[in-house]
Amino acid sequence: MAKIVVVTSGKGGVGKTTTAASFAVGLALRGHKTVVIDFDVGLRNLDLIMGCERRVVFDFVNVISKEANLRQALIRDKRVENLSILAASQTRDKDALTESGVARVLEELSQEFDYIVCDSPAGIEKGALMAMYYADEALVVTNPEVSSVRDSDRVLGMLSSRTKRAEEGGEPVKEHLVVTRYAPARVGKGEMLSLDDVGDILAIPLLGVIPESETVLNASNAGLPVILEEGADAGGAYADLVARFLGEDRPLRFVEAKKGLFGRLLGRG
Amino acid sequence: MGWLDVFRGQKKNSAQLAKERLQVVVAHRRGGRGDHPDYFPKLQRDLLRVLRKYVQVEDDAVQIEIERDGEMEVLELNITLPEQSRNQA
């Protein structure tokens, strides 16, 4: 049976798709058969971030409505073995995602894959609910910023009440905090919530911290999941995140400002 | 703010302010007051309808809250009767 992991946040633009792409690539690089699904029907973007936008023929909604089978719709990644992508539809709306249709597709994918990564749309409407409904674990992507933290809290409330696990009263969905766009220098100046602050407020275990980094935009521009940018700070941070998810103990990196103490004292305005 | 202010303990920095504000809204939601089950509005309407068969009450006469205490959930129902009907009773 595959493990189903939803990447969610409530708020848009915080790095869900970037995280879903790099997380899926990271799992596949570690030898796990992984599929990543775009649940953002109508606003698909995972294909662009993964660099396979020209290879989309059939999509998730086509499979749900039985216009195509999974074999036709799954796109195998050309760079990484063990990785497939299921794109969202551009033209349909979220109502195309039916509970039974999603269940059937996930069930079928479970036969073949070890991990199913569900890239949630922003918001708390049907698409987001469908992305989280069957999840075993959740990556809650949060920027150290008030609206993002509040929306993450709202999403945590939904994970504990609106998922299959919650409804059946079984083991709750395992929640992981992923802080993205973290700027240690600004935290040092008291201009940005620190990891401890976000952790105190949301009270779920921290899985990874991705620093604010130019390499993320550069990688998106090129359709390259940033984890494949070896040696880059954000890429390294995603590799650490995946390792921790798989049970390894990795210390946090990129959480201290680059300047020394002396520079920090003199450098603030 | 300048770095000396840290030692002077003057103005709060903006991150501290953000944290305090978030703690209030998050505690509010987790306390159950911001996250009512979906059926709350309908339950409220139905209760009003039933009540009005017997007493004429105001639109806001029915207050429903859920209190969570660990595993236990308590549904608290508060109905305010108008002055008149209380005298009749």
Side-chain angles (χ1 to χ4, degrees), chain B residues 38-89:
Chain B
D38 292 344
Y39 61 79
F40 259 42
K42 197 163 177 297
L43 175 64
Q44 204 156 8
R45 273 199 308 277
D46 286 354
L47 285 170
L48 263 181
R49 215 184 51 229
V50 174
L51 267 172
R52 282 177 178 161
K53 285 187 186 169
Y54 307 97
V55 257
Q56 202 44 49
V57 291
E58 297 292 326
D59 281 350
D60 60 355
V62 177
Q63 299 294 332
I64 319 171
E65 292 291 346
I66 272 201
E67 293 286 330
R68 293 193 178 88
D69 184 11
E71 288 290 285
M72 201 168 66
E73 285 191 347
V74 178
L75 183 73
E76 186 184 311
L77 198 61
N78 225 318
I79 300 171
T80 319
L81 292 175
E83 283 296 324
Q84 249 183 336
S85 67
R86 222 176 289 160
N87 293 341
Q88 285 165 359

Side-chain angles (χ1 to χ4, degrees), chain A residues 23 139 176-178 205-209 240-242 244-245 252:
Chain A
F23 181 63
L139 306 193
H176 306 274
L177 178 62
V178 177
L206 179 70
L207 182 68
V209 182
D240 287 353
L241 178 153
V242 172
R244 283 187 211 105
F245 183 84
L252 289 174

Side-chain angles (χ1 to χ4, degrees), chain A:
Chain A
M1 270 303 276
K3 190 167 268 184
I4 302 176
V5 186
V6 61
V7 179
T8 183
S9 71
K11 191 175 182 304
V14 298
K16 275 184 302 296
T17 301
T18 299
T19 298
S22 280
F23 181 63
V25 168
L27 290 170
L29 287 174
R30 296 301 208 85
H32 300 285
K33 292 199 76 180
T34 304
V35 58
V36 55
I37 308 176
D38 191 348
F39 273 76
D40 203 347
V41 175
L43 291 171
R44 88 170 170 225
N45 276 319
L46 179 68
D47 55 336
L48 270 179
I49 301 297
M50 297 289 298
C52 64
E53 70 276 10
R54 293 167 62 166
R55 297 171 61 208
V56 180
V57 181
F58 294 109
D59 59 55
F60 191 19
V61 173
N62 293 139
V63 180
I64 286 177
S65 54
K66 299 188 179 169
E67 294 154 359
N69 61 39
L70 263 179
R71 196 173 298 278
Q72 294 170 296
L74 283 178
I75 303 166
R76 292 181 81 103
D77 193 276
K78 284 187 171 165
R79 298 155 298 210
V80 185
E81 242 185 293
N82 302 317
L83 179 63
S84 294
I85 299 121
L86 186 53
S89 169
Q90 267 286 50
T91 49
R92 312 289 259 280
D93 64 39
K94 307 246 189 305
D95 291 331
L97 296 178
T98 59
E99 206 167 288
S100 60
V102 172
R104 182 175 57 80
V105 175
L106 292 180
E107 182 63 49
E108 206 176 320
L109 289 169
S110 285
Q111 313 295 323
E112 194 184 333
F113 292 94
D114 303 322
Y115 288 98
I116 301 173
V117 179
C118 303
D119 181 22
S120 172
I124 52 171
E125 310 300 325
K126 179 130 189 227
L129 281 170
M130 277 293 101
M132 71 167 63
Y133 189 74
Y134 295 99
D136 299 306
E137 306 201 20
L139 306 193
V140 179
V141 182
T142 308
N143 289 168
E145 177 272 325
V146 286
S147 50
S148 174
V149 175
R150 183 197 225 173
D151 290 359
S152 291
D153 171 62
R154 185 79 175 84
V155 158
L156 287 169
M158 292 169 66
L159 285 167
S160 61
S161 63
R162 308 285 292 272
T163 51
K164 185 160 183 274
R165 284 183 171 226
E167 284 175 6
E168 289 176 355
E171 186 86 356
V173 177
K174 191 171 177 192
E175 301 154 341
H176 306 274
L177 178 62
V178 177
V179 176
T180 53
R181 309 200 67 166
Y182 194 64
R186 302 200 69 184
V187 174
K189 288 188 207 164
E191 294 173 356
M192 180 181 270
L193 290 164
S194 70
L195 286 176
D196 288 343
D197 292 340
V198 180
D200 283 353
I201 295 160
L202 295 178
I204 59 169
L206 179 70
L207 182 68
V209 182
I210 313 304
E212 171 79 62
S213 166
E214 288 171 9
T215 55
V216 175
L217 181 59
N218 285 331
S220 299
N221 290 343
L224 186 75
V226 70
I227 194 171
L228 291 172
E229 289 276 20
E230 281 168 36
D233 47 2
Y238 274 117
D240 287 353
L241 178 153
V242 172
R244 283 187 211 105
F245 183 84
L246 295 172
E248 271 179 49
D249 197 16
R250 293 253 179 126
L252 289 174
R253 291 193 284 165
F254 319 110
V255 293
E256 300 293 338
K258 282 177 189 137
K259 281 189 231 168
L261 177 67
F262 193 63
R264 277 215 298 282
L265 286 177
L266 291 178
R268 63 173 79 235

